[in-house]
Amino acid sequence: MLRRLPIACALVQIQALLAPRTPLKAAPVPTTRATHTHAAQIVEPVRRRRARLAAVPVQRSDDGDDDGRPPSLSLDPEVLLVVTCYFLQGALGLSRLALNFYLKDELGLSPADLAALTGLASAPWVVKPLYGLLSDSTPLLGYRRKSYLALSGVLGALSFGAMATVASGTTEALLFANLVASAAVARSDVVVASLVVEKARDEAEAASLQSVAWGSRYVGAIGAALLSGEAIRVLGARGCFGATAALPLLLTAVALTVREAPSEERADGAAWREAGAVLGRLKDALLSPEILRPAAFLFLWQATPNCGSAFFYFSTASVDAGGLGFDPDFLGRASAAGSVAGLVGVAAYNGLFKEARLSSVILWSSVASAIIGLAPLALVSHANRAWGLDDRLFSLGDDVVQSALGEVGFLPLLVLAAKICPPGIEGALFAALMSIFNLGGIVSTEAGALLTDAFHVSETDFSNLSPLIVTCAASSLLPLFFLGWVRGAEDSDDDDDVTA
């Protein structure tokens, strides 16, 4: 089953793909997503009249260093805040594997229940645009950024601390604490994204800042993946939650060092009236056919069922029970390898597919993904052993290929989302499209939970795991029946280029 990529990494990838080499007109951005960006090799901009992603507003700057090089990025408190925020978004993955093992082994959740309940942790990311409107319209303690960021860090620390202590006894309390932690991360992401918008004053600094964000998150994610298995062995799952609780406090500490002028008082209701006007324009844009249809395709592509939780149970079940017997240490290393492979996938898209039509890349990557998604059948039937391939080696290779291919299929969708955004509300509409995409991810997980239950796959019975894998892989092709909506958006954009 092809790994669904977390939206936590979405916006800065598309910022890298659309990063302008000529000045773009900046537009107001109530909220954007900036989690990681492609480093030095930035893809040529998509030359479309409407492809103006406002999350990286740039202006031409003739200033440079004395030797003619573009200005470098100084490590001031604001840049340090960007580094800290995105590093933490990767590093908080230290608790992800521990949460799955704790729910499975300590609280006794079935594969279907695990999928159904953990999928809800993404819910705060669905309403992310509202966070931006809230901070723009309602300063906290006189500030629109540092106070919200400091609060997010404190809430995150308290949530993980609760998961390690008072909330660890019941499934409901543990998942509620995890939900609050997810909301804290989403909230900080919105605030730091607006800082990235303001900080990226020119093209060189925009590229440097996005590279810093990209690198910071991947350093955190790979480091957490490598440490997570050993941490579970040494500290236990609850110990991992407790260790993770210290990390968000770094965000609070750095946020308090940021220099921010107190927000000016505004006329009563003025900010909310402006927010209402933005929401009205968003509604009108989303209901227009040229945006509604591609947006629906984004949702459908992300919403196909995912059987990852069922396969997790099979992977960690003992060999005597018919599973693969993978331990947390191996799963952590495999996750790290997948993250590195994701970078390779970005580079592959950048070097090989950036000039291709989006619909063509989506079509063939989806077909390839469906085929690769059947590879776990070999592990379930143990056919790989007959081929002379160890379970761990085969699983690691499958994970690497799926991660790289997942990026190749994912990035065209982000380019599509940016292309259909009309001038004036690019940032707000892109954030709304990413919320729709996030909602599709929740539907994917919940649909996978329903199928897992329908096929009667449990922690002790994997006899129907193969049909479940085939069903999920085949269902990933269903959105291709609506690929004409993407072609329509491409053709409409090409017509705009001709008449412009």
Side-chain angles (χ1 to χ4, degrees), residues 55-109:
V56 192
V58 298
Q59 299 175 353
R60 177 66 65 190
S61 175
D62 297 326
D63 298 331
D65 295 338
D66 293 338
D67 58 1
R69 293 178 299 175
S72 59
L73 192 66
S74 60
L75 189 61
D76 58 24
E78 292 178 337
V79 174
L80 182 60
L81 182 62
V82 173
V83 171
T84 302
C85 181
Y86 295 128
F87 170 79
L88 289 177
Q89 288 192 9
L92 291 178
L94 180 65
S95 67
R96 189 172 301 118
L97 187 61
L99 179 63
N100 285 341
F101 271 102
Y102 191 80
L103 290 172
K104 167 182 172 286
D105 296 334
E106 301 297 329
L107 297 182
L109 264 65

Side-chain angles (χ1 to χ4, degrees), residues 173-188:
L174 185 69
L175 292 178
F176 178 77
N178 187 51
L179 185 70
V180 175
S182 178
V185 175
R187 187 69 190 84
S188 65

Side-chain angles (χ1 to χ4, degrees), residues 9-343:
C9 67
L11 182 58
V12 183
Q13 286 183 335
I14 193 60
Q15 289 170 337
L17 292 170
L18 300 181
R21 299 182 186 272
T22 56
L24 294 185
K25 178 182 178 182
V29 186
T31 176
T32 56
R33 185 174 188 75
T35 307
H36 57 260
T37 181
H38 193 205
Q41 299 298 323
I42 297 180
V43 178
E44 288 287 343
V46 178
R47 293 182 176 89
R48 297 290 186 262
R49 180 171 62 87
R50 290 182 292 172
R52 300 176 182 173
L53 185 60
V56 192
V58 298
Q59 299 175 353
R60 177 66 65 190
S61 175
D62 297 326
D63 298 331
D65 295 338
D66 293 338
D67 58 1
R69 293 178 299 175
S72 59
L73 192 66
S74 60
L75 189 61
D76 58 24
E78 292 178 337
V79 174
L80 182 60
L81 182 62
V82 173
V83 171
T84 302
C85 181
Y86 295 128
F87 170 79
L88 289 177
Q89 288 192 9
L92 291 178
L94 180 65
S95 67
R96 189 172 301 118
L97 187 61
L99 179 63
N100 285 341
F101 271 102
Y102 191 80
L103 290 172
K104 167 182 172 286
D105 296 334
E106 301 297 329
L107 297 182
L109 264 65
S110 68
D113 289 339
L114 178 69
L117 294 175
T118 56
L120 297 178
S122 300
W125 295 89
V126 174
V127 295
K128 238 187 70 172
L130 298 181
Y131 304 150
L133 295 176
L134 177 64
S135 61
D136 287 344
S137 58
T138 309
L140 179 64
L141 301 178
Y143 296 96
R144 287 191 171 90
R145 288 181 182 162
K146 61 190 301 181
S147 52
Y148 277 107
L149 286 171
L151 178 62
S152 295
V154 171
L155 285 178
L158 291 176
S159 298
F160 284 112
M163 291 170 64
T165 54
V166 295
S168 62
T170 65
T171 301
E172 294 79 5
L174 185 69
L175 292 178
F176 178 77
N178 187 51
L179 185 70
V180 175
S182 178
V185 175
R187 187 69 190 84
S188 65
D189 182 80
V190 172
V191 179
V192 172
S194 67
L195 180 62
V196 171
V197 171
E198 202 170 276
K199 185 68 179 174
R201 294 184 297 271
D202 56 34
E203 178 181 342
E205 188 163 5
S208 298
L209 190 58
Q210 302 296 355
S211 298
V212 165
W214 172 280
S216 300
R217 188 182 191 280
Y218 263 99
V219 167
I222 294 173
L226 290 173
L227 293 174
S228 59
E230 185 67 12
I232 292 175
R233 186 183 69 82
V234 175
L235 303 175
R238 292 174 60 184
C240 286
F241 302 151
T244 306
L247 295 176
L249 295 178
L250 293 174
L251 180 64
T252 298
V254 176
L256 294 177
T257 68
V258 173
R259 297 181 297 272
E260 179 185 359
S263 299
E264 297 179 359
E265 293 292 335
R266 305 183 64 182
D268 291 342
W272 287 107
R273 286 194 296 271
E274 291 179 8
V278 172
L279 290 176
R281 295 182 65 190
L282 282 177
K283 178 181 71 69
D284 293 340
L286 285 171
L287 292 179
S288 62
E290 61 270 19
I291 294 177
L292 179 60
R293 290 170 182 169
F297 183 85
L298 293 174
F299 172 82
L300 292 173
W301 187 91
Q302 182 72 349
T304 56
N306 187 333
C307 58
S309 292
F311 196 78
F312 168 75
Y313 274 72
F314 173 72
S315 299
T316 56
S318 67
V319 175
D320 293 339
L324 300 178
F326 292 166
D327 56 21
D329 192 47
F330 171 75
L331 292 179
R333 293 197 302 270
S335 178
S339 295
V340 175
L343 287 172

Side-chain angles (χ1 to χ4, degrees), residues 1-6 300-306 437 441 444 472 475-476 479:
M1 57 279 150
L2 184 65
R3 171 182 301 176
R4 292 293 180 187
L5 301 175
L300 292 173
W301 187 91
Q302 182 72 349
T304 56
N306 187 333
F437 202 88
S444 170
C472 290
S475 69
S476 67

